[in-house]
Amino acid sequence: MEKDKLIFDIIEREHQRQKKGIELIASENFVSDDVMRAMGSCLTNKYAEGYPGHRYYGGCQVVDEAETIAIERLKKLFGAEWANVQPHSGAQANMAVFMAVLKPGDKFMGLNLSHGGHLSHGSPVNFSGLVFQPVEYNVTRDTNLIDYDMMEEVARRERPKLIVGGASAYSREWDYARIRKIADEIGAIFMFDMAHPAGLIAAGLLDNPVKYAHIVTSTTHKTLRGPRGGVIMMGKDFDNPWGKTTPKGVIRKMSSLLDSAVFPGVQGGPLEHVIAAKAVAFGEALQPEFRTYQQQVKTNAAAMAQAFLDKGYQIASGGTDNHCILLDLRSKFPELTGKLAEKALVDADITANKYMVPFDSRSPFLTSGIRLGTPAITTRGAKEPLMGEIVEMIDTVLHNPENDAVIKSVREKVNAIMAGYPMFAW
Ligand code: DSN
């Protein structure tokens, strides 16, 4: 029996919240029992500053094995030549890359945060915008697709040393070859942050940026379904993805810069319990069932997007190629903010988050959009028919965001449905 009743009661309440509700936050997922067990293991007790075989502490011979397995499984999963599994988060993986390839004040280019980009790709309140000099590219107003012409034009004019691809709310495939061509033309490094679609990429359902980018970063807890954390990888050909063989020395030099940037650059002791859990998750992702799961994530997102379109909703970019849908509320509910929509949905035990849509006139605290994703609900076992039911319930809530009786009846329906979709063994 746990001694700290206060905290363990909170954990149990959160467990119940997760079990009862429909989880649609695009960046969340439910890990397997084995991943959970590895995270809650005695490996949390071990200090292991350094890397396998080269640590600053004794007694690391056992955790060295787990970290080496995590690295090898990750490389196999994405066809990478080199990997670092120590970043505590995606933002810290990105910070380490910035540290390795830029000097303070250097210019880099990333996707505009309000067009689906990420804080660590140049926001003025983040290290990336505080220490370095960001320039940005957008999505286009008419298609909401990445504006590669703008990217090229800004790259030629501003000559950033680093081009960052990747997003937190972008539902379409990326043109990696075009970004690499732009980077090669101006002699920039191309880094791609695949945190959101990493699981779909691992399953071969989307193109793999490791083939094109100099450096790829990711989180491990979104579509990839591992513990909360980050990773960095490099592909086989650092110089040129179209055939020129990179001398091994070039990869070795950059990998040693990246290793040093993670530790001691931005982190101290690695979280060896989380690294073991990453190894477990990568092992799961190498199994054939993982591809079936990811295919269902994608199929569910497409079914959900179509059901919204059939009801006259507007979706940024008109649909989805991945796990993510960005609902633009402006045409159907001009007065409804993302903030109120999020609150009403949460009250109905449907969890999603408010999000800025491209060219939004509202602030990030209000927004005109709602971001939805299917990784977590698919882990619970949901298939296409449930997507239609979920869209019906969301539509009911969005038409009645302040009607407590309607919200209560949707919540009861949500709870009854989710009782049929088990989550953890414990
Ligand atoms: N905060 C994450 C997301 O929700 O997409 C990105 O780091």
Short mmCIF file of all heavy atoms in Angstrom, two decimals, residues 34-82:
data_model
loop_
_atom_site.label_atom_id
_atom_site.label_comp_id
_atom_site.label_asym_id
_atom_site.label_seq_id
_atom_site.Cartn_x
_atom_site.Cartn_y
_atom_site.Cartn_z
N ASP A 34 4.40 -2.89 -20.77
CA ASP A 34 5.85 -3.12 -20.66
C ASP A 34 6.63 -1.81 -20.65
O ASP A 34 7.62 -1.67 -19.92
CB ASP A 34 6.34 -4.00 -21.83
CG ASP A 34 6.03 -5.47 -21.60
OD1 ASP A 34 5.51 -5.81 -20.51
OD2 ASP A 34 6.30 -6.28 -22.51
N VAL A 35 6.19 -0.85 -21.47
CA VAL A 35 6.86 0.46 -21.47
C VAL A 35 6.68 1.11 -20.09
O VAL A 35 7.62 1.65 -19.50
CB VAL A 35 6.30 1.36 -22.60
CG1 VAL A 35 6.75 2.81 -22.43
CG2 VAL A 35 6.73 0.83 -23.97
N MET A 36 5.45 1.01 -19.57
CA MET A 36 5.15 1.59 -18.26
C MET A 36 6.02 0.93 -17.18
O MET A 36 6.57 1.61 -16.31
CB MET A 36 3.66 1.36 -17.96
CG MET A 36 3.12 2.12 -16.79
SD MET A 36 2.90 3.85 -17.19
CE MET A 36 1.23 3.85 -17.81
N ARG A 37 6.18 -0.39 -17.25
CA ARG A 37 6.94 -1.10 -16.24
C ARG A 37 8.43 -0.70 -16.30
O ARG A 37 9.07 -0.51 -15.29
CB ARG A 37 6.80 -2.62 -16.45
CG ARG A 37 7.23 -3.39 -15.25
CD ARG A 37 6.72 -4.83 -15.17
NE ARG A 37 5.63 -5.15 -16.04
CZ ARG A 37 5.59 -6.23 -16.84
NH1 ARG A 37 6.60 -7.05 -16.89
NH2 ARG A 37 4.53 -6.48 -17.58
N ALA A 38 8.96 -0.55 -17.49
CA ALA A 38 10.37 -0.15 -17.62
C ALA A 38 10.57 1.25 -17.02
O ALA A 38 11.57 1.51 -16.33
CB ALA A 38 10.79 -0.18 -19.09
N MET A 39 9.60 2.14 -17.26
CA MET A 39 9.72 3.51 -16.72
C MET A 39 9.67 3.53 -15.20
O MET A 39 10.28 4.39 -14.58
CB MET A 39 8.59 4.38 -17.26
CG MET A 39 8.93 5.08 -18.53
SD MET A 39 7.67 6.28 -18.95
CE MET A 39 6.31 5.23 -19.42
N GLY A 40 8.90 2.61 -14.63
CA GLY A 40 8.76 2.59 -13.17
C GLY A 40 9.75 1.64 -12.53
O GLY A 40 9.47 1.11 -11.45
N SER A 41 10.90 1.42 -13.15
CA SER A 41 11.84 0.40 -12.66
C SER A 41 12.99 1.01 -11.86
O SER A 41 13.16 2.24 -11.81
CB SER A 41 12.43 -0.37 -13.84
OG SER A 41 13.32 0.46 -14.56
N CYS A 42 13.84 0.14 -11.28
CA CYS A 42 14.98 0.58 -10.46
C CYS A 42 16.05 1.29 -11.29
O CYS A 42 16.99 1.85 -10.72
CB CYS A 42 15.60 -0.62 -9.74
SG CYS A 42 16.32 -1.81 -10.88
N LEU A 43 15.93 1.31 -12.59
CA LEU A 43 16.92 2.04 -13.40
C LEU A 43 16.88 3.54 -13.10
O LEU A 43 17.84 4.26 -13.39
CB LEU A 43 16.71 1.78 -14.90
CG LEU A 43 17.43 0.54 -15.46
CD1 LEU A 43 16.93 -0.75 -14.84
CD2 LEU A 43 17.30 0.49 -16.98
N THR A 44 15.78 4.00 -12.51
CA THR A 44 15.70 5.42 -12.13
C THR A 44 16.75 5.77 -11.08
O THR A 44 17.11 6.94 -10.91
CB THR A 44 14.28 5.80 -11.64
OG1 THR A 44 14.19 7.22 -11.57
CG2 THR A 44 13.98 5.22 -10.26
N ASN A 45 17.27 4.79 -10.36
CA ASN A 45 18.24 5.05 -9.29
C ASN A 45 19.65 5.32 -9.81
O ASN A 45 20.52 5.74 -9.05
CB ASN A 45 18.31 3.84 -8.35
CG ASN A 45 16.99 3.59 -7.66
OD1 ASN A 45 16.22 4.52 -7.42
ND2 ASN A 45 16.70 2.34 -7.36
N LYS A 46 19.90 5.07 -11.10
CA LYS A 46 21.29 5.03 -11.57
C LYS A 46 21.74 6.33 -12.23
O LYS A 46 21.08 6.84 -13.14
CB LYS A 46 21.45 3.88 -12.60
CG LYS A 46 22.87 3.60 -12.96
CD LYS A 46 23.66 2.95 -11.81
CE LYS A 46 25.16 3.09 -11.98
NZ LYS A 46 25.75 4.22 -11.25
N TYR A 47 22.89 6.85 -11.76
CA TYR A 47 23.54 7.97 -12.45
C TYR A 47 24.43 7.41 -13.54
O TYR A 47 25.18 6.45 -13.30
CB TYR A 47 24.39 8.79 -11.48
CG TYR A 47 23.86 10.19 -11.32
CD1 TYR A 47 23.47 10.69 -10.10
CD2 TYR A 47 23.74 11.01 -12.45
CE1 TYR A 47 22.96 11.97 -9.97
CE2 TYR A 47 23.22 12.29 -12.33
CZ TYR A 47 22.83 12.76 -11.10
OH TYR A 47 22.33 14.02 -10.99
N ALA A 48 24.39 7.96 -14.74
CA ALA A 48 25.17 7.38 -15.85
C ALA A 48 25.63 8.48 -16.82
O ALA A 48 25.56 8.30 -18.04
CB ALA A 48 24.32 6.34 -16.57
N GLU A 49 26.10 9.61 -16.28
CA GLU A 49 26.57 10.68 -17.18
C GLU A 49 27.60 10.12 -18.14
O GLU A 49 28.51 9.39 -17.74
CB GLU A 49 27.16 11.83 -16.37
CG GLU A 49 26.08 12.69 -15.74
CD GLU A 49 26.63 13.83 -14.90
OE1 GLU A 49 27.87 14.01 -14.87
OE2 GLU A 49 25.82 14.52 -14.27
N GLY A 50 27.47 10.49 -19.40
CA GLY A 50 28.35 9.95 -20.43
C GLY A 50 27.56 9.05 -21.36
O GLY A 50 26.33 9.16 -21.45
N TYR A 51 28.28 8.16 -22.03
CA TYR A 51 27.65 7.25 -23.00
C TYR A 51 28.12 5.83 -22.73
O TYR A 51 29.15 5.64 -22.06
CB TYR A 51 27.98 7.72 -24.42
CG TYR A 51 27.26 9.01 -24.75
CD1 TYR A 51 27.90 10.26 -24.65
CD2 TYR A 51 25.91 8.99 -25.09
CE1 TYR A 51 27.20 11.44 -24.89
CE2 TYR A 51 25.21 10.17 -25.34
CZ TYR A 51 25.86 11.39 -25.24
OH TYR A 51 25.15 12.54 -25.47
N PRO A 52 27.41 4.81 -23.26
CA PRO A 52 27.80 3.42 -22.98
C PRO A 52 29.29 3.19 -23.21
O PRO A 52 29.83 3.54 -24.26
CB PRO A 52 26.94 2.62 -23.97
CG PRO A 52 25.71 3.45 -24.14
CD PRO A 52 26.19 4.88 -24.09
N GLY A 53 29.94 2.64 -22.20
CA GLY A 53 31.38 2.37 -22.30
C GLY A 53 32.25 3.54 -21.88
O GLY A 53 33.46 3.40 -21.68
N HIS A 54 31.66 4.74 -21.76
CA HIS A 54 32.42 5.94 -21.39
C HIS A 54 31.59 6.76 -20.41
O HIS A 54 31.00 7.78 -20.78
CB HIS A 54 32.72 6.81 -22.63
CG HIS A 54 33.35 6.06 -23.75
ND1 HIS A 54 34.70 5.81 -23.81
CD2 HIS A 54 32.80 5.47 -24.83
CE1 HIS A 54 34.95 5.09 -24.89
NE2 HIS A 54 33.82 4.88 -25.53
N ARG A 55 31.49 6.31 -19.18
CA ARG A 55 30.65 6.99 -18.19
C ARG A 55 31.52 7.65 -17.12
O ARG A 55 32.67 7.26 -16.92
CB ARG A 55 29.72 5.98 -17.51
CG ARG A 55 28.87 5.15 -18.45
CD ARG A 55 27.67 5.88 -18.97
NE ARG A 55 26.73 4.94 -19.58
CZ ARG A 55 25.60 5.28 -20.17
NH1 ARG A 55 25.23 6.54 -20.24
NH2 ARG A 55 24.82 4.37 -20.69
N TYR A 56 30.90 8.59 -16.41
CA TYR A 56 31.59 9.26 -15.31
C TYR A 56 31.27 8.60 -13.96
O TYR A 56 31.63 9.12 -12.93
CB TYR A 56 31.22 10.75 -15.27
CG TYR A 56 31.85 11.49 -16.43
CD1 TYR A 56 31.23 11.53 -17.66
CD2 TYR A 56 33.09 12.12 -16.29
CE1 TYR A 56 31.80 12.20 -18.74
CE2 TYR A 56 33.68 12.78 -17.35
CZ TYR A 56 33.03 12.81 -18.57
OH TYR A 56 33.63 13.46 -19.62
N TYR A 57 30.55 7.47 -13.97
CA TYR A 57 30.16 6.77 -12.74
C TYR A 57 30.44 5.29 -12.89
O TYR A 57 30.32 4.75 -14.00
CB TYR A 57 28.65 6.94 -12.46
CG TYR A 57 28.28 8.35 -12.09
CD1 TYR A 57 28.12 9.32 -13.06
CD2 TYR A 57 28.10 8.72 -10.75
CE1 TYR A 57 27.80 10.62 -12.73
CE2 TYR A 57 27.78 10.01 -10.40
CZ TYR A 57 27.63 10.97 -11.40
OH TYR A 57 27.31 12.25 -11.06
N GLY A 58 30.77 4.64 -11.78
CA GLY A 58 30.91 3.19 -11.79
C GLY A 58 29.54 2.52 -11.79
O GLY A 58 28.51 3.18 -11.55
N GLY A 59 29.51 1.23 -12.04
CA GLY A 59 28.27 0.46 -11.95
C GLY A 59 27.33 0.67 -13.12
O GLY A 59 26.13 0.39 -12.99
N CYS A 60 27.85 1.15 -14.24
CA CYS A 60 26.96 1.43 -15.37
C CYS A 60 26.90 0.27 -16.37
O CYS A 60 26.26 0.38 -17.41
CB CYS A 60 27.40 2.70 -16.12
SG CYS A 60 27.17 4.19 -15.15
N GLN A 61 27.57 -0.86 -16.01
CA GLN A 61 27.67 -1.94 -17.01
C GLN A 61 26.31 -2.50 -17.42
O GLN A 61 26.14 -2.91 -18.57
CB GLN A 61 28.61 -3.06 -16.51
CG GLN A 61 28.19 -3.78 -15.25
CD GLN A 61 28.59 -3.04 -13.96
OE1 GLN A 61 28.91 -1.85 -13.98
NE2 GLN A 61 28.54 -3.74 -12.84
N VAL A 62 25.32 -2.46 -16.52
CA VAL A 62 24.01 -3.02 -16.88
C VAL A 62 23.19 -2.02 -17.70
O VAL A 62 22.65 -2.35 -18.77
CB VAL A 62 23.24 -3.47 -15.62
CG1 VAL A 62 21.92 -4.12 -16.01
CG2 VAL A 62 24.08 -4.44 -14.80
N VAL A 63 23.14 -0.75 -17.23
CA VAL A 63 22.36 0.23 -18.00
C VAL A 63 22.99 0.47 -19.37
O VAL A 63 22.29 0.82 -20.33
CB VAL A 63 22.15 1.57 -17.25
CG1 VAL A 63 21.27 1.36 -16.02
CG2 VAL A 63 23.44 2.26 -16.90
N ASP A 64 24.32 0.28 -19.47
CA ASP A 64 24.97 0.40 -20.79
C ASP A 64 24.31 -0.52 -21.81
O ASP A 64 24.12 -0.16 -22.97
CB ASP A 64 26.46 0.01 -20.70
CG ASP A 64 27.35 1.18 -20.28
OD1 ASP A 64 26.79 2.25 -19.98
OD2 ASP A 64 28.58 1.01 -20.26
N GLU A 65 23.95 -1.72 -21.33
CA GLU A 65 23.35 -2.69 -22.26
C GLU A 65 21.99 -2.18 -22.76
O GLU A 65 21.69 -2.26 -23.95
CB GLU A 65 23.16 -4.05 -21.57
CG GLU A 65 24.44 -4.82 -21.39
CD GLU A 65 24.19 -6.18 -20.74
OE1 GLU A 65 23.21 -6.86 -21.11
OE2 GLU A 65 24.98 -6.53 -19.85
N ALA A 66 21.19 -1.65 -21.82
CA ALA A 66 19.86 -1.17 -22.22
C ALA A 66 19.98 0.01 -23.19
O ALA A 66 19.26 0.10 -24.19
CB ALA A 66 19.06 -0.76 -20.99
N GLU A 67 20.92 0.93 -22.90
CA GLU A 67 21.05 2.11 -23.77
C GLU A 67 21.55 1.69 -25.16
O GLU A 67 21.11 2.24 -26.18
CB GLU A 67 21.99 3.16 -23.13
CG GLU A 67 22.01 4.45 -23.93
CD GLU A 67 22.60 5.65 -23.21
OE1 GLU A 67 22.61 5.65 -21.95
OE2 GLU A 67 23.06 6.58 -23.89
N THR A 68 22.46 0.72 -25.20
CA THR A 68 22.97 0.25 -26.50
C THR A 68 21.86 -0.41 -27.31
O THR A 68 21.74 -0.19 -28.51
CB THR A 68 24.15 -0.73 -26.27
OG1 THR A 68 25.13 -0.05 -25.50
CG2 THR A 68 24.76 -1.19 -27.58
N ILE A 69 21.01 -1.18 -26.63
CA ILE A 69 19.89 -1.82 -27.34
C ILE A 69 18.93 -0.74 -27.87
O ILE A 69 18.45 -0.83 -29.01
CB ILE A 69 19.15 -2.82 -26.41
CG1 ILE A 69 20.06 -4.02 -26.13
CG2 ILE A 69 17.83 -3.28 -27.01
CD1 ILE A 69 19.56 -4.97 -25.05
N ALA A 70 18.67 0.28 -27.06
CA ALA A 70 17.78 1.37 -27.51
C ALA A 70 18.35 2.01 -28.77
O ALA A 70 17.62 2.24 -29.75
CB ALA A 70 17.60 2.41 -26.40
N ILE A 71 19.65 2.28 -28.77
CA ILE A 71 20.29 2.93 -29.94
C ILE A 71 20.17 2.02 -31.17
O ILE A 71 19.77 2.47 -32.26
CB ILE A 71 21.78 3.24 -29.63
CG1 ILE A 71 21.88 4.36 -28.59
CG2 ILE A 71 22.54 3.61 -30.89
CD1 ILE A 71 23.27 4.53 -27.99
N GLU A 72 20.50 0.76 -31.00
CA GLU A 72 20.50 -0.16 -32.15
C GLU A 72 19.08 -0.36 -32.70
O GLU A 72 18.88 -0.39 -33.92
CB GLU A 72 21.14 -1.50 -31.77
CG GLU A 72 22.64 -1.40 -31.51
CD GLU A 72 23.40 -0.70 -32.64
OE1 GLU A 72 23.11 -0.98 -33.82
OE2 GLU A 72 24.28 0.15 -32.36
N ARG A 73 18.10 -0.49 -31.81
CA ARG A 73 16.72 -0.66 -32.29
C ARG A 73 16.23 0.59 -33.02
O ARG A 73 15.54 0.50 -34.03
CB ARG A 73 15.78 -0.98 -31.11
CG ARG A 73 15.97 -2.39 -30.60
CD ARG A 73 15.00 -2.71 -29.47
NE ARG A 73 15.20 -4.06 -28.96
CZ ARG A 73 14.63 -4.54 -27.87
NH1 ARG A 73 13.82 -3.79 -27.15
NH2 ARG A 73 14.87 -5.78 -27.49
N LEU A 74 16.58 1.75 -32.48
CA LEU A 74 16.14 3.00 -33.13
C LEU A 74 16.75 3.12 -34.52
O LEU A 74 16.07 3.50 -35.48
CB LEU A 74 16.53 4.20 -32.25
CG LEU A 74 16.11 5.56 -32.79
CD1 LEU A 74 14.59 5.69 -32.86
CD2 LEU A 74 16.67 6.69 -31.93
N LYS A 75 18.04 2.81 -34.64
CA LYS A 75 18.71 2.89 -35.94
C LYS A 75 18.03 1.95 -36.94
O LYS A 75 17.78 2.31 -38.09
CB LYS A 75 20.20 2.51 -35.79
CG LYS A 75 21.03 3.67 -35.22
CD LYS A 75 22.35 3.26 -34.65
CE LYS A 75 23.26 2.55 -35.62
NZ LYS A 75 24.56 2.21 -34.98
N LYS A 76 17.70 0.75 -36.47
CA LYS A 76 17.05 -0.22 -37.36
C LYS A 76 15.66 0.27 -37.80
O LYS A 76 15.28 0.16 -38.96
CB LYS A 76 16.94 -1.56 -36.61
CG LYS A 76 16.46 -2.69 -37.47
CD LYS A 76 16.70 -4.03 -36.77
CE LYS A 76 16.09 -5.14 -37.61
NZ LYS A 76 15.85 -6.34 -36.85
N LEU A 77 14.94 0.85 -36.84
CA LEU A 77 13.57 1.30 -37.11
C LEU A 77 13.52 2.34 -38.22
O LEU A 77 12.62 2.34 -39.06
CB LEU A 77 13.01 1.88 -35.80
CG LEU A 77 11.52 2.07 -35.60
CD1 LEU A 77 10.73 0.81 -35.92
CD2 LEU A 77 11.26 2.51 -34.15
N PHE A 78 14.48 3.26 -38.22
CA PHE A 78 14.43 4.37 -39.19
C PHE A 78 15.54 4.32 -40.24
O PHE A 78 15.69 5.26 -41.01
CB PHE A 78 14.48 5.71 -38.45
CG PHE A 78 13.23 5.98 -37.65
CD1 PHE A 78 13.20 5.76 -36.28
CD2 PHE A 78 12.07 6.42 -38.28
CE1 PHE A 78 12.04 5.99 -35.55
CE2 PHE A 78 10.91 6.65 -37.56
CZ PHE A 78 10.90 6.43 -36.19
N GLY A 79 16.34 3.25 -40.23
CA GLY A 79 17.45 3.17 -41.21
C GLY A 79 18.51 4.24 -40.95
O GLY A 79 19.08 4.79 -41.89
N ALA A 80 18.76 4.53 -39.68
CA ALA A 80 19.74 5.58 -39.35
C ALA A 80 21.14 4.98 -39.19
O ALA A 80 21.30 3.80 -38.90
CB ALA A 80 19.32 6.28 -38.06
N GLU A 81 22.13 5.83 -39.39
CA GLU A 81 23.53 5.42 -39.24
C GLU A 81 24.00 5.64 -37.81
O GLU A 81 24.89 4.97 -37.32
CB GLU A 81 24.36 6.27 -40.21
CG GLU A 81 25.80 5.87 -40.35
CD GLU A 81 25.98 4.60 -41.19
OE1 GLU A 81 25.02 4.11 -41.80
OE2 GLU A 81 27.11 4.12 -41.21
N TRP A 82 23.39 6.64 -37.16
CA TRP A 82 23.82 7.05 -35.82
C TRP A 82 22.60 7.54 -35.05
O TRP A 82 21.67 8.12 -35.64
CB TRP A 82 24.87 8.16 -35.94
CG TRP A 82 25.18 8.82 -34.63
CD1 TRP A 82 26.12 8.44 -33.73
CD2 TRP A 82 24.51 9.96 -34.06
NE1 TRP A 82 26.08 9.26 -32.63
CE2 TRP A 82 25.11 10.20 -32.80
CE3 TRP A 82 23.47 10.78 -34.47
CZ2 TRP A 82 24.70 11.24 -31.97
CZ3 TRP A 82 23.05 11.82 -33.63
CH2 TRP A 82 23.67 12.03 -32.41
#
